[in-house]
Amino acid sequence: MKTQHEHEENALLRSENERLRVENLRFREALLNICCPNCGVPKCEENQLVMECSSSRQHVSKAVTSSISCWAPHIASGSNEYQAAVMETVTSAMDELLRVAQLGEPLWVASVDRHNYVLNEEEYFRVFTGPRKEGFQAEATRESAMIYSAASDLVAILMDVEQWANVFSGVVSRATNLQVFSSGQEGTYNEVVQVMNVEFHVASPVVPTRQSYFARYCLQHVDSTWAIVDVSLDHLHPTLFNMCRRRPSGCLIKDMPSGYSKVIWVEHVEVEGGGVHSIYKPLIRAGLAFGAQRWLAILDGYCQRIANGSVPLDVIGFLVGSGRESLLKVAERMVRGYCRGVNASVANTWTTLSGLDNLSDTVKMMTRKNVDDPTIPFGFQLTMVTSFWLPTPPKRVFDFLRDRNTRKEWDMLLNGQDIEEMAHIVTGNEDGNLVTMYQVKDTNQNSKQTIMLQETRKDLTAAYVIYAPIDMVSADTILCGGDPSCIPILPSGFAILPDGPIRGGRPTPHGETGGSLLTLALQVMVDPAPDANISPASVSVANQIICDMVDKIKETLIS
């Protein structure tokens, strides 16, 4: 009871901390917005502002004789003028999205191999206003799909920022809803406008994340089609520098027969493309990391997962009906923790250790101390990650890594032990989309039983094999339908991406050809004491383990 009470207190404190963090972001934004109309100096105190303006004018008069132009004054966030400026921006962006999503040639022209379409830049700037951001690269993709879900449910996923970030955890690192201008009409999301700060990522520490500050606008049209558009607000915040500018992007959603919805997705961004490792550049240029096809593939996979919720659970042993829901919830949290723990987010501080075979095989390390979060083990944790290229199709890599019969060939942490399946749930239409619970078959009868929770999922743009050890008490809680929210999970595993475009910008069905970009991450508890430290010898051992795993995987898949 005492432990549960402490967990509840910690949860309340974390909630309060998040509220204060969001409030702090708003205050910082407000301070940035309140600027001198002449020189853009933040208005902290009136006297200081006058002195800075005076000093600035004197300096300019001495330095140049010609007239100069200053930045336009900022508009105070939350003011009527600011809201009017945002509404004007999103209304214009909505008009652009409707046209870009539905027009054909000459705006979208067939690629050389005629397998996909690319945006005609010359035609785009003839029709729409606004120059490219200097020094930034353009990425524009469009994709459509039939998703098994009602349009209103898809709108709810996209407009609930927390749920949106969780569903798209393979692309979204962090998302904060800074402002909401309208609560919607008649209890819906129609005409809702949100101002958001979002960090986008690829599941690898060698690809920089993308920070973006934008408004999201939802509108239901007369034909019952829903449209949701994102557009950056950089022009309202000249002092705010982001590496990713979102031109009008988003989707059109329309209900179709038999429970499906037709979704047209457009991603159009300008990015500062520096810092990306060379092995990931073809993937990003093809739009398979951040493009429309990636977003639709994730959304389709999530809706398949929901639809499969009513399929009977394949069980070996005893399980109550509510165990399905608990197992899916903890698996979803495990995947989110993995995706957000292996990227180059500002929240992750990486140290480079060593190289294996070449530059792309650099091992990176990060340590964390957990004293208050019951969703991960308390104590001192070590994360080791490496990303590397394999000349092996993604499907073959995925099938090999998820095969429990060959797992002991590469999983050094199993120490040669076998695993036995306890239960599994089918989570998608693709072969191998499963949540599985395994028991490690330890020959030592006196040792504690170890249970391994694993999720394997794949679509046309990515595949994952993610797992985490849990104790028998936690396993019983899950299988008996107990609350899984405080079960500590420290996930390890693999993210498998295609190494670039095949067949005109698309990977082949199920990733049957081409090479793979593989990210391997190991997270282990070093010491239950949070104030502990890690010795160089322990780092060396961990480094050797991950290097041996890479060698074993390469030895099997390349031979």
Side-chain angles (χ1 to χ4, degrees):
M1 289 177 64
K2 181 179 178 182
T3 301
Q4 182 65 29
H5 180 66
E6 289 176 350
H7 287 173
E8 291 173 356
E9 284 189 342
N10 288 333
L12 290 172
L13 289 172
R14 283 197 307 277
S15 176
E16 177 68 10
N17 184 56
E18 178 64 18
R19 187 189 67 78
L20 291 174
R21 188 177 71 84
V22 172
E23 189 173 334
N24 184 44
L25 284 173
R26 289 177 177 167
F27 285 145
R28 287 172 60 191
E29 180 192 354
L31 287 174
L32 284 174
N33 291 334
I34 305 173
C35 291
C36 169
N38 293 321
C39 65
V41 175
K43 183 179 178 182
C44 298
E45 292 182 4
E46 193 67 26
N47 291 339
Q48 179 184 354
L49 179 63
V50 172
M51 291 173 62
E52 298 232 14
C53 287
S54 176
S55 174
S56 177
R57 285 195 296 269
Q58 292 175 10
H59 175 73
V60 169
S61 63
K62 292 178 182 179
V64 296
T65 57
S66 60
S67 62
I68 64 168
S69 61
C70 291
W71 282 338
H74 291 180
I75 306 171
S77 175
S79 67
N80 292 334
E81 188 180 2
Y82 177 78
Q83 292 192 21
V86 172
M87 286 304 303
E88 181 181 357
T89 300
V90 298
T91 301
S92 175
M94 179 65 73
D95 292 339
E96 179 175 325
L97 174 69
L98 292 173
R99 298 172 70 183
V100 172
Q102 299 177 89
L103 290 176
E105 294 187 359
L107 184 63
W108 294 93
V109 295
S111 59
V112 176
D113 54 18
R114 309 195 69 81
H115 282 296
N116 67 331
Y117 287 86
V118 295
L119 186 69
N120 183 342
E121 292 271 322
E122 183 178 344
E123 177 67 13
Y124 175 81
F125 285 111
R126 188 188 69 80
V127 177
F128 304 105
T129 60
R132 288 282 182 218
K133 195 168 183 178
E134 186 176 353
F136 279 50
Q137 302 171 357
E139 297 175 7
T141 54
R142 184 176 69 177
E143 192 72 31
S144 62
M146 299 294 289
I147 306 293
Y148 188 66
S149 177
S152 58
D153 292 337
L154 296 179
V155 170
I157 292 172
L158 299 174
M159 294 305 294
D160 182 329
V161 176
E162 183 178 359
Q163 186 180 11
W164 171 74
N166 288 338
V167 170
F168 294 97
S169 60
V171 181
V172 178
S173 300
R174 298 183 303 162
T176 304
N177 192 354
L178 299 175
Q179 286 178 294
V180 179
F181 288 166
S182 169
S183 58
Q185 291 187 355
E186 299 177 355
T188 71
Y189 286 102
N190 188 29
E191 298 188 9
V192 169
V193 178
Q194 301 169 337
V195 177
M196 305 165 60
N197 190 31
V198 179
E199 182 182 49
F200 303 99
H201 75 100
V202 171
S204 172
V206 300
V207 180
T209 56
R210 299 177 171 186
Q211 296 273 355
S212 191
Y213 176 81
F214 59 90
R216 173 167 292 175
Y217 178 36
C218 179
L219 189 65
Q220 186 176 27
H221 295 272
V222 291
D223 63 349
S224 297
T225 297
W226 288 91
I228 299 174
V229 65
D230 296 345
V231 60
S232 283
L233 301 176
D234 299 23
H235 64 291
L236 299 180
H237 304 271
T239 59
L240 186 66
F241 181 76
N242 279 316
M243 308 300 283
C244 178
R245 178 188 182 192
R246 290 181 71 75
R247 281 189 171 269
S249 303
C251 59
L252 307 184
I253 309 171
K254 184 175 179 61
D255 276 315
M256 304 296 286
S258 303
Y260 284 85
S261 292
K262 182 180 180 182
V263 182
I264 303 175
W265 199 293
V266 174
E267 279 294 311
H268 190 184
V269 299
E270 296 168 345
V271 295
E272 197 289 312
V276 177
H277 198 286
S278 59
I279 64 174
Y280 281 89
K281 288 182 179 179
L283 175 83
I284 293 173
R285 283 197 297 265
L288 298 175
F290 298 104
Q293 189 177 11
R294 178 79 175 114
W295 289 90
L296 271 182
I298 295 174
L299 183 62
D300 186 38
Y302 175 79
C303 291
Q304 289 180 26
R305 186 187 186 93
I306 298 301
N308 277 278
S310 59
V311 177
L313 180 64
D314 291 324
V315 183
I316 300 172
F318 171 79
L319 184 72
V320 298
S322 55
R324 161 187 291 278
E325 184 178 354
S326 295
L327 189 55
L328 287 174
K329 281 183 178 179
V330 73
E332 187 69 31
R333 176 159 60 85
M334 177 179 68
V335 172
R336 289 200 306 268
Y338 174 88
C339 291
R340 293 170 181 171
V342 303
N343 60 38
S345 170
V346 294
N348 298 332
T349 305
W350 297 104
T351 300
T352 301
L353 289 183
S354 66
L356 301 178
D357 297 333
N358 52 52
L359 184 63
S360 67
D361 292 276
T362 300
V363 178
K364 295 184 180 293
M365 179 192 82
M366 176 173 59
T367 59
R368 285 194 180 100
K369 297 180 179 181
N370 179 38
V371 296
D372 60 357
D373 185 356
T375 64
I376 57 178
F378 294 113
F380 187 83
Q381 304 151 9
L382 171 67
T383 302
M384 307 281 286
V385 179
T386 186
S387 296
F388 56 98
W389 176 78
L390 284 171
T392 311
K395 182 180 186 302
R396 187 184 169 202
V397 177
F398 177 72
D399 289 341
F400 169 71
L401 294 174
R402 71 185 181 91
D403 186 352
R404 67 182 179 89
N405 296 316
T406 58
R407 187 186 191 102
K408 61 183 180 182
E409 294 179 13
W410 56 263
D411 193 342
M412 302 294 103
L413 299 181
L414 280 181
N415 295 320
Q417 297 169 339
D418 291 316
I419 55 176
E420 184 177 44
E421 182 178 322
M422 298 173 62
H424 76 258
I425 304 174
V426 176
T427 59
N429 299 334
E430 295 284 349
D431 182 35
N433 282 9
L434 301 168
V435 174
T436 311
M437 189 174 287
Y438 293 109
Q439 180 174 345
V440 179
K441 299 170 68 175
D442 196 339
T443 55
N444 184 358
Q445 300 297 325
N446 296 324
S447 63
K448 292 183 179 179
Q449 286 185 310
T450 301
I451 307 300
M452 184 185 300
L453 178 66
Q454 176 173 287
E455 173 151 1
T456 54
R457 61 169 71 171
K458 73 181 175 78
D459 55 48
L460 283 175
T461 60
Y464 299 92
V465 178
I466 301 171
Y467 53 91
I470 58 176
D471 57 30
M472 200 63 191
V473 174
S474 297
D476 288 340
T477 300
I478 295 171
L479 296 178
C480 293
D483 180 12
S485 60
C486 288
I487 291 177
I489 293 289
L490 196 59
S492 299
F494 302 88
I496 310 161
L497 303 175
D499 64 353
I502 301 170
R503 283 196 195 169
R506 298 169 182 265
T508 56
H510 312 301
E512 294 171 352
T513 63
S516 302
L517 302 174
L518 188 62
T519 294
L520 162 60
L522 291 180
Q523 297 195 88
V524 295
M525 176 59 61
V526 177
D527 196 302
D531 56 351
N533 289 307
I534 189 168
S535 67
S538 298
V539 173
S540 178
V541 169
N543 188 31
Q544 189 60 51
I545 289 175
I546 199 170
C547 290
D548 288 344
M549 291 178 70
V550 170
D551 288 341
K552 292 288 186 182
I553 292 169
K554 286 184 173 182
E555 181 182 329
T556 303
L557 292 175
I558 299 178
S559 60

